[in-house]
Amino acid sequence: MSSKVIIEDVGKKTKEDLKVLILNSAKKLFVEKGIEQTTIRNISDSIGCSIGTVYVYFKDKNAIFHALHTQGFIQLSSEFKVLSHVGNPLERLRAMGKVYINFALKNRDMYDLMFNLKAPMEFLNDEKLQEWNEGKATFDVLCSTVNECLTAGYFKGHELEPTAFMIWSMVHGMCSLEISNRSVGVNIQNPETIVIAAYEEFMKIMDKL
Amino acid sequence: MSSKVIIEDVGKKTKEDLKVLILNSAKKLFVEKGIEQTTIRNISDSIGCSIGTVYVYFKDKNAIFHALHTQGFIQLSSEFKVLSHVGNPLERLRAMGKVYINFALKNRDMYDLMFNLKAPMEFLNDEKLQEWNEGKATFDVLCSTVNECLTAGYFKGHELEPTAFMIWSMVHGMCSLEISNRSVGVNIQNPETIVIAAYEEFMKIMDKL
DNA sequence: AAATTAAATGAACATTGTTCATTTTTACAA
DNA sequence: TTGTAAAAATGAACAATGTTCATTTAATTT
């Protein structure tokens, strides 16, 4: 009787767990060795199942990377939670940028997957899902913060969405150039601090608005 | 006698031309079908030579893409030449951003190759060349323009290099989000004009500095 | 004309993502 | 317990990729 329950539990666990296991293994390889070293065979080897099994739980490689990209957004939005304690919207916006930048630089490949690589978007296309919910939700957070700034009298004479997109572009561009090794390639005096220094320039500007 | 000269010329031409031919063919395929459709076999097929011949002239695929990326920078810097007629440094800076954005949006895959993809940087690493001359030269143009702005009294209280990097990040971020299809995925009212609208917000800010 | 050098070749190899007929396991009714 | 049907797992096989290299072909020099 009790054994029956246990068996059921184990059965249920392993059934869903195999998908989770594949994903965890994929994430581990992905974080450790980068995206091009994360092959289906590597994943199946590392959890001791066959290649075919991976395809039972995921349509293709893009599906795996889309799932990973979603995990990345879950982590990012959880890191955004500390911002709710910042009352002033402009202060919150500035802190948001810092959290975003820190996340990007500490999770480079994950950031690349979330905001640069084609895999997650190709998955959405294949599934005929036009909605990029993860990106929408994140951009909404930014928009409502910028909107609060506008209501509070900051950013006078600026449009909401273009301004929000500009700010996003700003921090995304910095992180992106850093991650793609373009910022170190260029002759900058202090390459190791350029992202932070550039963001501080931007914050100076914010103050004047 | 004259035939001898001609033969020499033809010989010389075809010798160097094969490398150019490979590159032109690679560029054509790359622009038409994107980077993942540009295979060595496609290139060799389209010019009617064998696979091995491509490897006579290029060390590997990264070498081809690095050469293409260099061509892209030549094109970009030639498009920058119209800027020399703009006297006011701030005006020139603004125009520079527009040229940059136009180039990026009209040559999406090329822009991706120049500023996002790993291939050109991996090539530099493999060759033990630390210098990213193309990027350095382009960033220098931006820096000297920003420096002129500082000398002319704009951007008071701002540091040269961080400010230049911030501006670069700004326009790069916009183009990058657009090219990677992240801007259309997000819920924006006017997605087709968001890049221009966001850049206009940035120009409003420049005016105030 | 012969010999040497350079250039071009494409078969072969190792890796990839992906498929699918087959086997193994599980669930459940008789 | 046994038999059967459904579900899950398998891995051989395929096509496409980048890359190598012994061999062949062409060009140049002696």
Side-chain angles (χ1 to χ4, degrees):
Chain A
M1 182 167 49
S2 68
S3 68
K4 200 177 174 184
V5 173
I6 288 168
I7 288 164
E8 270 176 15
D9 276 350
V10 170
K12 236 184 210 169
K13 217 186 254 176
T14 44
K15 201 176 70 174
E16 252 316 283
D17 231 16
L18 201 44
K19 185 165 190 173
V20 176
L21 222 65
I22 291 168
L23 218 54
N24 286 347
S25 182
K27 185 172 185 180
K28 196 178 172 187
L29 289 167
F30 174 73
V31 170
E32 278 175 5
K33 313 196 175 185
I35 194 165
E36 67 271 2
Q37 299 300 333
T38 308
T39 68
I40 308 286
R41 278 170 185 79
N42 276 342
I43 294 168
S44 61
D45 280 359
S46 73
I47 63 176
C49 76
S50 71
I51 310 159
T53 307
V54 176
Y55 282 89
V56 172
Y57 292 94
F58 293 95
K59 193 196 137 212
D60 54 16
K61 217 190 168 191
N62 281 345
I64 297 174
F65 282 122
H66 176 267
L68 282 183
H69 128 287
T70 303
Q71 283 196 353
F73 272 97
I74 290 168
Q75 191 190 333
L76 177 59
S77 75
S78 97
E79 291 189 15
F80 273 157
K81 272 175 187 154
V82 299
L83 302 170
S84 61
H85 299 296
V86 185
N88 180 277
L90 188 60
E91 280 296 317
R92 183 145 27 94
L93 187 61
R94 295 159 66 131
M96 204 168 143
K98 284 202 171 171
V99 169
Y100 188 97
I101 291 166
N102 279 335
F103 174 84
L105 300 186
K106 287 197 175 184
N107 308 278
R108 296 183 163 228
D109 290 278
M110 184 57 92
Y111 185 85
D112 219 24
L113 179 63
M114 290 160 70
F115 294 105
N116 268 320
L117 300 183
K118 290 177 180 167
M121 296 294 145
E122 281 177 357
F123 174 79
L124 292 181
N125 259 351
D126 291 352
E127 301 288 285
K128 308 209 154 72
L129 303 169
Q130 300 291 0
E131 311 282 299
W132 184 35
N133 293 318
E134 295 84 357
K136 268 166 56 179
T138 310
F139 188 65
D140 278 351
V141 175
L142 174 61
C143 270
S144 56
T145 309
V146 173
N147 199 34
E148 280 187 65
C149 288
L150 283 166
T151 320
Y154 302 109
F155 305 162
K156 275 230 165 69
H158 287 279
E159 303 270 343
L160 172 57
E161 286 195 340
T163 304
F165 186 73
M166 183 204 69
I167 294 169
W168 181 24
S169 296
M170 168 73 228
V171 289
H172 167 71
M174 292 178 354
C175 298
S176 202
L177 289 171
E178 182 74 12
I179 289 170
S180 64
N181 289 320
R182 292 328 197 261
S183 52
V184 290
V186 144
N187 249 355
I188 284 177
Q189 286 182 342
N190 300 93
E192 65 282 348
T193 56
I194 186 64
V195 169
I196 291 163
Y199 187 62
E200 270 163 15
E201 293 299 329
F202 187 62
M203 290 202 292
K204 278 188 208 167
I205 291 174
M206 277 185 178
D207 285 340
K208 295 184 192 169
L209 295 184
Chain B
M1 182 161 66
S2 67
S3 68
K4 200 178 173 185
V5 174
I6 288 169
I7 288 165
E8 271 175 15
D9 276 349
V10 170
K12 236 184 213 168
K13 217 186 254 174
T14 44
K15 201 177 68 173
E16 254 316 281
D17 229 17
L18 201 44
K19 185 166 190 173
V20 176
L21 222 64
I22 291 169
L23 218 54
N24 286 347
S25 182
K27 184 171 185 179
K28 196 178 172 187
L29 289 168
F30 174 72
V31 169
E32 279 175 3
K33 313 194 174 185
I35 194 166
E36 66 271 1
Q37 299 301 331
T38 308
T39 68
I40 309 285
R41 278 169 184 81
N42 276 343
I43 294 168
S44 61
D45 280 0
S46 73
I47 63 177
C49 76
S50 72
I51 310 160
T53 308
V54 176
Y55 281 90
V56 173
Y57 292 94
F58 292 95
K59 192 197 137 211
D60 55 16
K61 219 190 168 191
N62 281 345
I64 298 175
F65 282 121
H66 176 266
L68 281 184
H69 128 286
T70 303
Q71 283 196 353
F73 271 97
I74 290 168
Q75 191 190 334
L76 177 59
S77 75
S78 97
E79 291 188 16
F80 274 157
K81 272 175 187 153
V82 298
L83 301 171
S84 62
H85 299 297
V86 184
N88 180 277
L90 187 60
E91 280 297 316
R92 186 148 22 105
L93 187 61
R94 294 159 66 133
M96 205 169 142
K98 283 201 172 173
V99 170
Y100 188 97
I101 291 167
N102 279 335
F103 174 84
L105 300 187
K106 287 197 175 183
N107 308 277
R108 296 184 163 229
D109 289 278
M110 183 57 92
Y111 185 84
D112 218 24
L113 179 63
M114 290 160 71
F115 294 105
N116 267 320
L117 299 184
K118 291 178 181 167
M121 297 295 145
E122 280 178 357
F123 174 79
L124 292 181
N125 259 351
D126 290 352
E127 302 288 287
K128 302 195 159 80
L129 304 168
Q130 300 291 1
E131 310 283 297
W132 183 36
N133 294 318
E134 295 84 357
K136 268 166 55 179
T138 310
F139 188 66
D140 278 351
V141 175
L142 174 60
C143 270
S144 56
T145 309
V146 172
N147 199 32
E148 280 187 65
C149 287
L150 283 166
T151 321
Y154 301 109
F155 305 162
K156 276 231 165 69
H158 286 278
E159 302 272 343
L160 172 57
E161 285 195 340
T163 304
F165 187 74
M166 183 202 69
I167 294 169
W168 182 23
S169 297
M170 167 75 229
V171 290
H172 166 71
M174 291 179 354
C175 298
S176 203
L177 290 171
E178 182 75 12
I179 290 170
S180 65
N181 290 319
R182 293 327 197 259
S183 52
V184 290
V186 144
N187 250 355
I188 284 177
Q189 286 182 341
N190 301 93
E192 65 281 349
T193 56
I194 186 64
V195 169
I196 291 162
Y199 187 61
E200 270 163 15
E201 293 299 328
F202 187 62
M203 290 202 293
K204 278 188 209 168
I205 291 174
M206 277 185 176
D207 286 339
K208 295 183 192 171
L209 294 185

